[in-house]
Amino acid sequence: MNHNRIVCFDLEMCCWNIDGVGTTGEIIEIGLAEIDLVKGEIVKRAQYYVKPEHDEVSLFCAELTGITPRKVEKQGRPLAEVIKSMIKNFGGNNKIYAAWGRDDLVLAKECADKGIEMPFKEYVNLATIYRIQNRLKEKRIGHKAAQEAKGIEWEGRQHSGYVDAYNLAKLALTML
């Protein structure tokens, strides 16, 4: 296990807003940004589009994420192929993965549903660590608000897995 490297990741899923209620479906993007805790820097980034098997990218989802049906059709690959690329380029069980919230459970469920082995075993929920470090008892805080509260500038469009993973890596470097 390489404890000097953490792979921050963010998922974007098919999503809909029905009568003011947000629902999500299959993963359509995985953004990753690996940090080196010894060097204190981001050392690698990647973006993978995933072609959903059962869902479609709605107009609401395209407006929220910037991911269009055309982009997923042209650049997306099956989740199993994306997972293989993740493991090849970032390492699997020899790395610790981290996200804001429980993206690990979302990924685990979709992997299980599709008969794919989970790409990692070690996981850190950075939202929980942030709440502990900042003594936020039952109060939830979003990733962007947490980052801005620490004086770290948000870069890029929110709800892009690639951008969110990069920004999370910047925040993680101040926390870990």
Side-chain angles (χ1 to χ4, degrees), residues 146-162:
Q147 184 164 320
E148 289 172 346
K150 292 290 179 189
I152 303 166
E153 183 182 348
W154 185 274
E155 295 180 54
R157 178 191 180 128
Q158 191 176 15
H159 302 299
S160 155
Y162 184 70

Side-chain angles (χ1 to χ4, degrees), residues 5-52:
R5 297 278 183 108
I6 307 287
V7 180
C8 297
F9 74 101
D10 185 75
L11 304 175
E12 298 302 327
M13 286 90 68
C14 291
C15 52
W16 303 268
N17 185 349
I18 300 164
D19 297 326
V21 177
T23 59
T24 58
E26 288 179 277
I27 296 166
I28 54 172
E29 182 195 8
I30 303 175
L32 302 108
E34 185 172 338
I35 58 176
D36 184 316
L37 296 174
V38 176
K39 293 179 181 177
E41 64 187 28
I42 298 167
V43 294
K44 192 184 305 186
R45 295 175 69 187
Q47 176 180 44
Y48 301 107
Y49 290 108
V50 180
K51 199 176 281 192

